Amino acid sequence: MRLKAYEGRPAAVTRAGRDAVNAAMIRHWCEAMGDTNPAYSGPDAIAPPTMLQAWTMSGLTGRPGRAHAYDELLGLLDEAGYTSVVATDCEQEYLRPLRPGDEITFDSVVESVSERKMTKLGTGYFVTTRMDIHVGPDLAGTHRFRILKYTPRPPAGRSRPDRDRQQKPARPRPVVNRDNAGFWEGVRHRRLLIQRCTDCGTLRHPWLPGCSACGGPDWDTVEACGEGTVYSYVVMHHPPFSAFDPPYAVGLIELSEGVRMIGNVLGVPCDKVRIGMPVRLEFHEYDEELVLPVWRAPEAEEAVA
């Protein structure tokens, strides 16, 4: 297959991290994530492993240069009619702790191109790139990022052309894996479940295979009471995507239980959302298969974004 010929070819040019691993970025990350693990502060501090990609980012002024082979691959898919793209998942592997002062380099390759797949969004190909992050000669970690390049599937069950034009495409589905399947099963039953470490009692979200406070692998769940406040938020205008109706507010919600999660903020105009605003949990059915938790400000009852 012609697309398979791109496997193993560069997806981005080799670059050095814009900044060395440093305590200031580690502190900001931990404050934003609410992570108080003592391993990330003090004279022997390490960087949180989940910051791996942060050290490769170029900021708002630029991005790592894509390699010709990767642009050529995406161009072939565009020419064949697979013009839409959606990010599906990413995964990281941590091989060496990063410490303040480490200088990183990174490169990226096209790791795999799938066979043609039929999905609920449409027909297309999954393209996986792998970024390798090094400190000197040592491989510190890998970051895999997977997208679906696809042709959108036309709406089904609509016989009248005017109704076809009005039908929205399906909202993207959350990526469900073995680590978070219990969370989404709870959502399906209209329960918002929070992981709790059975060793130290620390609550955590998003769901993880182990405790970030003590490293314990065992856990159970507690059900959230459904009350929270807006810790931070953004108002989405771009990029346009026909499954959504911009502008709309996406909030980082601090639950009464102390963990934070992301969700749409409803009930007030998006330009009226404010940090500290109280919100309450609702479950919204977007279609016959998709239920998502959303957060409604109690002052008004308005249509879902």
Side-chain angles (χ1 to χ4, degrees):
M1 180 172 118
R2 187 177 179 187
L3 298 177
K4 287 287 187 181
Y6 288 89
E7 293 182 347
R9 297 181 65 181
V13 297
T14 301
R15 290 175 63 109
R18 188 169 181 177
D19 297 286
V21 177
N22 63 85
M25 287 176 66
I26 293 172
R27 184 178 69 254
H28 294 323
W29 174 280
C30 290
E31 288 177 354
M33 301 302 291
D35 194 336
T36 58
N37 191 319
Y40 307 144
S41 61
D44 298 318
I46 63 171
T50 48
M51 284 188 74
L52 185 66
Q53 189 186 18
W55 309 112
T56 71
M57 293 179 173
S58 298
L60 298 177
T61 58
R63 64 177 186 180
R66 291 203 310 214
H68 174 72
Y70 190 61
D71 284 334
E72 192 175 86
L73 169 61
L74 299 184
L76 286 175
L77 290 168
D78 287 340
E79 291 172 9
Y82 305 103
T83 54
S84 296
V85 63
V86 63
T88 63
D89 68 291
C90 64
E91 60 185 74
Q92 294 182 335
E93 182 178 8
Y94 313 120
L95 302 172
R96 172 198 186 280
L98 294 177
R99 293 180 169 83
D102 283 344
E103 303 272 357
I104 66 121
T105 57
F106 57 95
D107 55 37
S108 181
V109 299
V110 179
E111 186 170 68
S112 66
V113 183
S114 73
E115 302 294 333
R116 191 171 65 168
K117 301 289 186 179
M118 297 285 292
T119 76
K120 290 181 179 180
L121 289 178
T123 303
Y125 295 85
F126 290 95
V127 179
T128 303
T129 55
R130 187 192 76 245
M131 179 181 290
D132 293 331
I133 295 95
H134 289 83
V135 176
D138 298 330
L139 181 63
T142 62
H143 178 90
R144 287 178 174 84
F145 190 74
R146 187 172 295 107
I147 63 171
L148 172 66
K149 284 282 287 179
Y150 67 101
T151 300
R153 190 167 69 177
R158 298 284 181 172
S159 56
R160 289 175 15 200
D162 59 328
R163 294 181 71 181
D164 279 346
R165 287 193 295 271
Q166 297 172 10
Q167 178 70 8
K168 284 185 179 181
R171 289 176 73 100
R173 267 45 184 169
V175 176
V176 180
N177 56 41
R178 63 184 180 182
D179 292 330
N180 66 15
F183 172 79
W184 291 110
E185 180 66 15
V187 168
R188 192 169 69 86
H189 293 287
R190 277 62 174 178
R191 301 176 66 208
L192 191 67
L193 300 179
I194 305 170
Q195 274 186 314
R196 177 175 59 189
C197 175
T198 54
D199 289 334
C200 69
T202 299
L203 301 180
R204 63 180 185 261
H205 186 86
W207 282 34
L208 296 169
C211 178
S212 60
C214 73
D218 299 321
W219 54 271
D220 59 11
T221 62
V222 297
E223 184 171 357
C225 72
E227 301 295 328
T229 57
V230 177
Y231 184 82
S232 184
Y233 70 95
V234 295
V235 176
M236 301 297 296
H237 296 271
H238 299 284
F241 183 49
S242 53
F244 299 88
D245 293 320
Y248 55 92
V250 179
L252 178 62
I253 308 302
E254 186 161 74
L255 279 63
S256 297
E257 291 76 12
V259 300
R260 298 173 190 152
M261 69 175 296
I262 293 173
N264 281 40
V265 179
L266 313 177
V268 295
C270 59
D271 60 350
K272 301 299 183 183
V273 176
R274 294 292 183 268
I275 291 173
M277 175 181 287
V279 290
R280 66 175 183 268
L281 172 68
E282 290 185 1
F283 292 97
H284 181 71
E285 293 186 15
Y286 286 92
D287 55 45
E288 293 180 355
E289 298 177 346
L290 182 63
V291 177
L292 294 177
V294 297
W295 299 91
R296 183 174 292 277
E299 292 84 358
E301 297 293 330
E302 295 191 354
V304 172

